[in-house]
Amino acid sequence: IVPAADRRTYWLGGQRQALIVDASQTNGRYALSHSTIAPGGGAAEHSHSREAEAFYVIAGRLRYALDGRTVVLEKGDFLHAEPGHKYSFEVIGPETAEVLILYAPAGLEHFVAEAGVPDQADAFQKSMDEAGAVMAAAPAYGVRYTRSS
């Protein structure tokens, strides 16, 4: 049981990531986060060498590009990306998006904690200003960004 008050929350490039469970709570099998992303926000094209990543949309609309195929996900939709697949995403429309993100096996949550900005009053802007730290920390966690923006 993980009470909401026990979640660690970070901002990464304009995304608010609340870590629900991590490797220590799942014997390394998976990690789960709740991401809140403002309209226009998202992630530049990248791939993971270690983890599969799955996205379940709670609210909003997101455009995903996965290995050259573009899809729009809405509330209730699910997307699974195996390691090695290149993808990017962005929130489309006027609504903030909320997404549950599953990492399997666990480990990528350590990247979120290292590269992210702890949740505080100025964290959104600070996470945008420090986006370079995300790119710099990524290789150690098997994350490869295709381009720098």
Side-chain angles (χ1 to χ4, degrees), residues 68-131:
R69 179 177 173 215
T70 301
V71 296
V72 173
L73 300 183
E74 299 178 339
K75 182 179 178 178
D77 289 341
F78 178 85
L79 181 140
H80 173 84
E82 281 290 315
H85 289 268
K86 292 180 185 175
Y87 70 92
S88 62
F89 63 89
E90 71 174 315
V91 175
I92 55 175
E95 257 188 84
T96 294
E98 292 185 52
V99 182
L100 289 177
I101 304 174
L102 180 78
Y103 313 108
L108 203 61
E109 73 279 13
H110 301 295
F111 168 63
V112 172
E114 178 183 330
V117 175
D119 197 14
Q120 57 195 26
D122 63 345
F124 172 81
Q125 187 57 52
K126 190 172 182 183
S127 77
M128 298 301 287
D129 295 343
E130 296 180 6

Side-chain angles (χ1 to χ4, degrees), residues 1-2 6 8 19-32 103 105-110:
I1 298 171
V2 181
D6 291 349
R8 293 168 293 132
L19 299 175
I20 297 171
V21 293
D22 64 21
S24 69
Q25 297 158 302
T26 66
N27 291 321
R29 290 184 182 93
Y30 66 91
L32 181 67
Y103 313 108
L108 203 61
E109 73 279 13
H110 301 295

